Amino acid sequence: MAAATVAENNTFRNEVMAETPNGHRMLHCLQCGTCGGSCPSGADMELTPRALIALINAGQRDRVLSANTMWACVSCYYCTVRCPQEIPVTDIIYTLKRLSIAERRYKDTDAPALAKTFTDFVDKYGRSFEFGLATGYHLLSRPLSALKMGPMGFSMFTRGRMSLLPTKIRNIGQLQAIIHKAREIGARR
Amino acid sequence: MKYAYYPGCSLECNAAAYDMSVREVADLLGIRLQEIDDWNCCGATEYFSQDELTATAVIARNLALVDPQLKQVVAPCAACYLNLKKTDRLMAEHADFNQKVNEALAAGGLHYRPGTVQVRHMLDVICDDIGEAAVRDKVVKPLNGLRVAPYYGCQVVRPYPGDENPEYPMKMDHLLSWLGAEVVDYPVKAHCCGGHMTQISEPQAFELIRRLLQSAQDYDADLIVCMCPMCQLNLDGYQGRVNGYFNTEFKLPIVYFTQIMGIAFGLDPKKLGFGKELVAALPVVRAKVNGLAAQAAQ
Ligand code: SF4
Ligand code: SF4
């Protein structure tokens, strides 16, 4: 079978396995479809998690990294706990998100913009900032959504559930030194 | 009993009701919470989507800052709980990863040895460490007559369910029964609320929210109690938008399990953060719990 021969030097699969904790479990996929069948977002995915794994095994890097599967995933971990082969499906999807973001392969999704805005706040303040996320992120990518969320935002605000200013941790320098170092180590390989 | 406390960003503002009620209930039950000094954000799912090593180092800073006298940290938010637990596990199971994370931590003068701090969720602490007898002992206003649907969501029960069934957890069901509530047994109690999807694809998120509200309503719930700020925000904050989108008329209050515990313990609803939810909960609680309406009228 083609899968067996491709597997010999399947660099894409090796890459995904190396980047995912316990990723080697992927080699044991039965293509049973339990993951996709358990997925609350399955209907919104062009490729189910099962199909993604088949395509990774087939070395189809381009198709996998431009799939919308990762951006429809809500990290509910149903696939992971139900997989009969103990394959960390959700974590594989995280790896694919990272590869897709790093190489800008995603299309038609605001998820990477949200992730970027979120982590930028963490890097800068040490805390997330919901109001900034709601406004800044929306203004960047979908200005009309900010208007639509208006009344709800107002209700949250009047109940003291939305702060207009971010909180900053005291020792932000320490956190930034750790982040800087982690990025440096990550870039080493 | 004393624990390190990691409130997480949501509990500072959006989920202040959770923080308030956790602290009130903990106080009454003799759970001493010592907030981690200068804790930072856990990165939610977003940091892991970008950079696993940095995400882990950012989370590990919190574990490294836990007072060495304390062996356990309590996190009420599901995402924070999972991230802290996952970081500890990743570091424990993968020596090379542990080494890299500690190299990053060292740049901030910190070190964390995996396994040093046990990560716990507030629900586990209350159910397992405090236990049924002590909880029942504090109940002064049993919730008789109130039909409560326990909503667990995802990240506390999966992928690390501990002694729970990851698809059919029971701890909150038991706890609610100790408080005298009628526990609603409905099929979606551990399904997903949509997480951050409200920010990315509203149709997808709204459908997941609708399924939960519909099921709880079909099973005659008066109210849903949850254990995660994201679940509360999606089910409560977005309920009006979901109604508009599907032309439905849901009016289900969503509160934190610690808030409803506080009511059963006779604590002041204001101190428990009631009134911060968008779909008002207190009128329903007062109307349904036998005897509470009369007391409120006095
Ligand atoms: S559930 Fe596991 S074994 Fe089955 S198709 Fe999905 S990943 Fe493969
Ligand atoms: S973790 Fe993602 S892929 Fe897996 S079942 Fe949940 S939404 Fe689907």
Side-chain angles (χ1 to χ4, degrees), chain B residues 207-276:
Chain B
E207 171 57 17
L208 295 176
I209 296 169
R210 186 198 64 79
R211 288 180 204 167
L212 296 170
L213 295 171
Q214 187 66 54
S215 181
Q217 181 174 285
D218 290 346
Y219 283 76
D220 290 328
D222 295 320
L223 165 139
I224 296 176
V225 293
C226 62
M227 47 200 264
C228 169
M230 184 64 96
C231 299
Q232 204 282 340
L233 177 66
N234 283 3
L235 293 179
D236 171 56
Y238 283 93
Q239 198 172 128
R241 303 277 317 277
V242 167
N243 278 333
Y245 189 82
F246 292 104
N247 211 2
T248 45
E249 285 174 13
F250 296 117
K251 210 177 162 214
L252 269 170
I254 320 290
V255 296
Y256 297 100
F257 75 98
T258 40
Q259 289 182 281
I260 209 72
M261 286 182 81
I263 294 288
F265 292 167
L267 300 171
D268 178 0
K270 271 207 200 73
K271 288 189 179 160
L272 298 166
F274 277 91
K276 287 182 177 293

Side-chain angles (χ1 to χ4, degrees), chain B residues 66 136 152:
Chain B
V66 169
R136 282 189 188 273
Y152 294 81

Side-chain angles (χ1 to χ4, degrees), chain B:
Chain B
M1 263 176 284
K2 198 168 172 186
Y3 304 81
Y5 181 51
Y6 180 83
C9 301
S10 294
L11 273 76
E12 291 233 295
C13 189
N14 163 39
Y18 202 8
D19 186 60
M20 293 163 79
S21 56
V22 161
R23 290 180 194 264
E24 287 287 319
V25 164
D27 212 33
L28 193 76
L29 291 172
I31 301 168
R32 291 173 61 202
L33 301 174
Q34 181 183 311
E35 188 167 331
I36 298 175
D37 184 39
D38 204 39
W39 55 269
N40 59 262
C41 175
C42 81
T45 56
E46 315 303 340
Y47 226 123
F48 271 107
S49 303
Q50 299 224 114
D51 179 345
E52 184 178 54
L53 179 62
T54 311
T56 313
V58 164
I59 297 163
R61 175 176 177 270
N62 298 302
L63 294 169
L65 288 176
V66 169
D67 180 340
Q69 307 286 325
L70 304 176
K71 300 284 170 254
Q72 307 192 49
V73 59
V74 185
C77 166
C80 299
Y81 166 81
L82 174 58
N83 278 350
L84 291 167
K85 195 161 189 104
K86 191 172 187 174
T87 292
D88 184 54
R89 290 274 191 112
L90 281 175
M91 293 174 73
E93 288 168 11
H94 305 274
D96 54 330
F97 200 71
N98 178 27
Q99 189 257 317
K100 285 180 190 165
V101 174
N102 268 305
E103 195 184 333
L105 287 177
L110 295 174
H111 180 81
Y112 178 67
R113 192 162 59 86
T116 317
V117 181
Q118 202 192 342
V119 181
R120 308 282 306 279
H121 189 265
M122 193 65 196
L123 180 67
D124 293 307
V125 169
I126 290 170
C127 291
D128 299 345
D129 299 3
I130 301 299
E132 177 173 0
V135 169
R136 282 189 188 273
D137 191 49
K138 297 287 187 225
V139 175
V140 295
K141 290 180 183 170
L143 302 177
N144 304 143
L146 187 68
R147 287 184 57 81
V148 184
Y151 176 53
Y152 294 81
C154 303
Q155 300 194 339
V156 174
V157 291
R158 288 182 305 276
Y160 306 124
D163 52 3
E164 286 271 51
N165 180 322
E167 303 196 23
Y168 194 73
M170 285 302 293
K171 267 183 197 162
M172 202 165 19
D173 293 57
H174 295 318
L175 175 62
L176 290 167
S177 73
W178 305 340
L179 305 176
E182 275 182 46
V183 185
V184 176
D185 182 12
Y186 65 128
V188 297
K189 64 179 174 182
H191 283 204
C192 183
C193 75
H196 72 183
M197 202 52 77
T198 47
Q199 304 291 302
I200 295 165
S201 166
E202 288 191 343
Q204 193 188 335
F206 287 179
E207 171 57 17
L208 295 176
I209 296 169
R210 186 198 64 79
R211 288 180 204 167
L212 296 170
L213 295 171
Q214 187 66 54
S215 181
Q217 181 174 285
D218 290 346
Y219 283 76
D220 290 328
D222 295 320
L223 165 139
I224 296 176
V225 293
C226 62
M227 47 200 264
C228 169
M230 184 64 96
C231 299
Q232 204 282 340
L233 177 66
N234 283 3
L235 293 179
D236 171 56
Y238 283 93
Q239 198 172 128
R241 303 277 317 277
V242 167
N243 278 333
Y245 189 82
F246 292 104
N247 211 2
T248 45
E249 285 174 13
F250 296 117
K251 210 177 162 214
L252 269 170
I254 320 290
V255 296
Y256 297 100
F257 75 98
T258 40
Q259 289 182 281
I260 209 72
M261 286 182 81
I263 294 288
F265 292 167
L267 300 171
D268 178 0
K270 271 207 200 73
K271 288 189 179 160
L272 298 166
F274 277 91
K276 287 182 177 293
E277 69 284 357
L278 266 55
V279 182
L282 267 190
V284 174
V285 173
R286 290 204 171 115
K288 297 285 176 166
V289 176
N290 301 334
L292 268 192
Q295 280 178 19
Q298 277 167 18

Side-chain angles (χ1 to χ4, degrees), chain A residues 19 21-22 40-41 44 71-78 80-82 91 94 97-98 101 109-112 114-116 118-119 122-123 126-128 130 133-134 137-138 142 148-149 152 155-156 159-163 167 169-172 174-175 177-179 181-183 185-186 188-189, chain B residues 9-10 12-14 37-41 43-54 57-58 61 65 82 86 90 93-94 100 103-105 107-110 154-155 158-159 166-167 190-192 194-200 202 204 208 211 232-233 236-238 241 275-278:
Chain A
E19 294 291 316
N22 305 316
S41 311
D44 298 291
W71 315 116
C73 172
V74 286
S75 303
C76 73
Y77 291 88
Y78 261 108
T80 299
V81 298
R82 283 189 180 172
D91 287 344
Y94 270 113
K97 284 182 186 177
R98 292 192 287 269
I101 289 177
T109 176
D110 294 333
L114 176 67
K116 176 81 170 75
F118 191 106
T119 48
V122 177
D123 293 356
R127 294 284 173 84
S128 77
E130 280 157 341
L133 220 52
Y137 156 70
H138 278 297
R142 283 183 306 174
K148 264 200 294 175
M149 100 162 256
M152 175 191 158
S155 303
M156 300 293 284
R159 284 169 177 76
R161 291 179 62 176
M162 204 185 248
S163 161
T167 315
I169 65 169
R170 210 173 54 240
N171 211 344
I172 185 70
Q174 179 188 51
L175 178 68
I178 294 169
I179 290 172
K181 190 72 184 174
R183 296 236 162 92
I185 300 167
R188 229 185 254 162
R189 338 162 243 139
Chain B
C9 301
S10 294
E12 291 233 295
C13 189
N14 163 39
D37 184 39
D38 204 39
W39 55 269
N40 59 262
C41 175
T45 56
E46 315 303 340
Y47 226 123
F48 271 107
S49 303
Q50 299 224 114
D51 179 345
E52 184 178 54
L53 179 62
T54 311
V58 164
R61 175 176 177 270
L65 288 176
L82 174 58
K86 191 172 187 174
L90 281 175
E93 288 168 11
H94 305 274
K100 285 180 190 165
E103 195 184 333
L105 287 177
L110 295 174
C154 303
Q155 300 194 339
R158 288 182 305 276
E167 303 196 23
H191 283 204
C192 183
H196 72 183
M197 202 52 77
T198 47
Q199 304 291 302
I200 295 165
E202 288 191 343
Q204 193 188 335
L208 295 176
R211 288 180 204 167
Q232 204 282 340
L233 177 66
D236 171 56
Y238 283 93
R241 303 277 317 277
K276 287 182 177 293
E277 69 284 357
L278 266 55

